[in-house]
Amino acid sequence: MDIIEINKVLSNKTRVNILKWLKNPELNFPPHQDIDHFNDGVCVGYIQDKTGLSQSTISTYLNSMQNADLVIPTRHGKWTYYKRNEDVIKAYIEAIQNEL
Amino acid sequence: MDIIEINKVLSNKTRVNILKWLKNPELNFPPHQDIDHFNDGVCVGYIQDKTGLSQSTISTYLNSMQNADLVIPTRHGKWTYYKRNEDVIKAYIEAIQNEL
DNA sequence: TTTACATATCTAAAAATATAGATATGTTAT
DNA sequence: ATAACATATCTATATTTTTAGATATGTAAA
């Protein structure tokens, strides 16, 4: 868990929003067609729609979030779903509390 | 309190270190010559020495930290002392806890 | 009232980040 | 096999950040 790396990710409004939206997928995204749950998170397309940014930008963002271990990707067919990595997020919050 | 702005400041190792060092000035810095306390924090020169970076870089860092309200400067004669803004830091930590 | 000193600001160059279009990859449907 | 589609990667440009040297400002000491 690299605090500096995580803070870099979290120094962009869109990336923070993505992380927040993923707390409540059913509130922030339409239901998926092929599956009826958000157990593995939300597909890239929905996240892109919500932000209004380009597909490649969102992919880059999600990749940076994944590198910082803030999200976990899961492939289902042609879709990639992203969900929060709650363990790392929890550890990050605790580190901020204790060290800052 | 702007979380994005604060996260930008905290996405650099040196700036995070400065904030941490200022938690315990007496442990991390030599005593000041003119005063015998750290009530207003630590003078810029000591912070510069500790980091090994240039004077202008440290001044820029401290300025960005001040713009994000993470530190409070106080002038004493020719020295400027910087201390942590505990209220804002506390609010930031709580915001991270509650919103992230 | 000059000189020395601490810090801030200005200027500039290098590096990193943001963002998108084009292209590639992998999966599903036909 | 081919077409359609979701996502990833590559390439490129604009913007921002990093960092330091030079210079300016403000204070204190001689």
Side-chain angles (χ1 to χ4, degrees), chain B residues 77-99:
Chain B
K78 41 182 179 175
W79 290 276
T80 306
Y81 297 81
Y82 282 89
K83 70 175 170 202
R84 290 160 56 96
N85 188 341
E86 297 293 356
D87 289 349
V88 169
I89 293 169
K90 190 159 172 284
Y92 166 73
I93 292 171
E94 276 167 16
I96 290 283
Q97 274 172 190
N98 296 330
E99 294 171 30

Side-chain angles (χ1 to χ4, degrees), chain B residues 13-50:
Chain B
K13 188 74 182 150
T14 299
R15 290 190 297 258
V16 170
N17 281 338
I18 292 171
L19 213 56
K20 287 183 183 177
W21 293 333
L22 290 179
K23 275 180 92 167
N24 282 302
E26 55 290 331
L27 246 64
N28 294 300
F29 299 97
H32 288 123
Q33 314 116 315
D34 54 336
I35 50 170
D36 65 343
H37 58 77
F38 290 104
N39 294 354
D40 289 320
V42 178
C43 70
V44 178
Y46 285 179
I47 296 172
Q48 186 199 332
D49 289 347
K50 183 118 180 153

